[in-house]
Amino acid sequence: MREPVGRRSVLGGMVLVGAALTLPGAGWAGKATGLTGLAPLAGGPAPISKEEREARIEKARRLMRAQGISALLVEPGASLIYFMGIEWHRSERLTAAVIPVDGEIAIVTPFFEEPSVRQTLAVPAEVRVWEEDENPLALVAAILTDRKLAGGAIAIEETVRYFAVDGLMKALPQARIVSGAPVVRGCRMMKSSAEIALMQRATDVTIAAYRYVIPRVKPGMTPADVSRMMDEATVALGGSPEFSLVLMDAAAALPHGSHERQMARDGGIVLMDCGCTVQGYQSDVSRTFVLGRPSARQRQVWEQVHRGQQVAFEAAKIGTPAGEVDDAVRRYYESLGYGPRYALPGLSHRTGHGIGLDGHEPVNLVHGEQTRLAAGMCFSDEPGLYIPGEFGVRLEDCFHMTEAGPRWFSTPPASIDQPV
């Protein structure tokens, strides 16, 4: 689910640390956790290779040719990492990649940032620098002019900021500005086997951390206590903490958290929504459990959510519009008396979201989404039920689509008595 109140500050899936951009949770590296019996998971998937990044660029170019696009502009964030390997931050000083439909890629960055930017550049590219008193968008325009692309359609990656688009239009008035979403989504939505392996490792770390933490949650603990233990376990197991939302009792009915004071108690609900990264690729897993013996009411709602997850999983078939997965869950919940639609008590948010280098990526499992499910797409499956003033239950596991149908990254829990 993500986006909890008070979560660590991230931008495009990255944590801002000083001048450079580090992978999420990198500030944890080397810190003693004080936890015993935990060690990094054995083995581990290979990093994304130079050859795979070059294949991604070639796919993007094929999509650009098919749509009459001359070049793609990308700012720092997950898409720049995806294509170029560059791990960097966004600031008022523009750093960006110009990916032409043909010819050499160019990176634009401030003069004094060039050495740092080059440290993570993973594919061949020209680097052009600009000084503090120069206009970086004029430099982008010059690159496009040099490549004889200035009069064509220039695609903008969908998270690029307005000042960059506006500056490019002023520097290159003859260009036609179009959305880069069809190109970038056409690449990033379908994960490769290497990406799937990294996401699987991130999920394995999160599940292992849950197995350590959940039995150690005791009455009197606060959400911060539990969150800290989860983050420490994640580091000890070899992951970089990305978020660790912990909600208790009535606060669990608020999907992204509450500022109200909370404390674990015997017979109380605890909802945890946690994820980490491995080489930038993310996990997202939620578990809901009770300290002590669940009430009949808690058990009933938990089992309904458990079935809701399965309804979504069963509806996820190759070629099915993504929105129909959400529709199937809402039909089931409405048959139980919840809703209708987003009304409470019930499911107040979409059934799931895409996931990869970003925790939330296109497309979503939400009513009306017509994109058809295809092999390589990855989603969260989290059809929670929320009862205002009482509690909420969310179970969340991610899956990826194969030609044979969906496959779990993590297996949903068996019961409220065995939450992980």
Side-chain angles (χ1 to χ4, degrees), residues 88-151:
W88 199 243
H89 63 281
R90 297 187 185 194
S91 76
E92 76 282 5
R93 296 181 174 102
L94 183 76
T95 290
V98 179
I99 303 176
V101 68
D102 292 296
E104 189 177 20
I105 294 168
I107 308 298
V108 171
T109 195
F111 166 75
F112 67 93
E113 304 284 28
E114 179 185 0
S116 299
V117 167
R118 284 188 180 276
Q119 288 176 351
T120 54
L121 176 60
V123 295
E126 175 190 12
V127 179
R128 290 200 193 183
V129 299
W130 56 277
E131 302 289 2
E132 291 279 62
D133 59 351
E134 295 177 331
N135 177 4
L137 280 311
L139 189 56
V140 173
I143 290 167
L144 292 167
T145 300
D146 290 349
R147 286 156 175 73
K148 298 180 172 53
L149 301 173

Side-chain angles (χ1 to χ4, degrees), residues 182-197:
V183 173
V184 176
R185 292 186 182 191
C187 294
R188 287 184 57 190
M189 282 198 306
M190 312 326 183
K191 272 60 176 184
S192 68
S193 59
E195 292 177 287
I196 295 291

Side-chain angles (χ1 to χ4, degrees), residues 365-389:
L365 302 179
V366 65
H367 174 72
E369 177 57 64
Q370 294 301 307
T371 302
R372 295 185 181 274
L373 302 185
M377 289 183 173
C378 300
F379 299 97
S380 70
D381 181 351
E382 49 179 312
L385 284 173
Y386 308 99
I387 306 167

Side-chain angles (χ1 to χ4, degrees), residues 50-97:
K50 173 177 175 285
E51 292 73 22
E52 177 158 336
R53 290 191 203 280
E54 290 176 334
R56 294 169 176 179
I57 292 167
E58 286 310 308
K59 182 177 181 180
R61 285 171 161 165
R62 290 196 301 272
L63 293 170
M64 291 159 68
R65 291 186 192 103
Q67 298 175 52
I69 290 171
S70 297
L72 173 69
L73 182 70
V74 184
E75 271 203 278
S79 290
L80 193 62
I81 293 171
Y82 180 85
F83 289 114
M84 310 303 300
I86 295 174
E87 298 162 15
W88 199 243
H89 63 281
R90 297 187 185 194
S91 76
E92 76 282 5
R93 296 181 174 102
L94 183 76
T95 290

Side-chain angles (χ1 to χ4, degrees), residues 264-323:
R265 63 178 181 84
D266 189 55
I269 282 273
V270 179
L271 189 162
M272 297 180 65
D273 185 350
C274 305
C276 73
T277 65
V278 170
Q279 296 179 38
Y281 283 86
Q282 303 209 12
S283 64
D284 194 353
V285 183
S286 297
R287 292 292 181 260
T288 303
F289 56 97
V290 174
L291 293 186
R293 185 184 298 275
S295 68
R297 170 79 159 158
Q298 291 167 336
R299 187 178 298 276
Q300 177 189 49
V301 176
W302 194 100
E303 290 175 352
Q304 290 168 338
V305 173
H306 186 257
R307 178 57 192 153
Q309 265 199 310
Q310 294 299 320
V311 168
F313 190 78
E314 292 163 7
K317 301 181 186 300
I318 293 289
T320 296

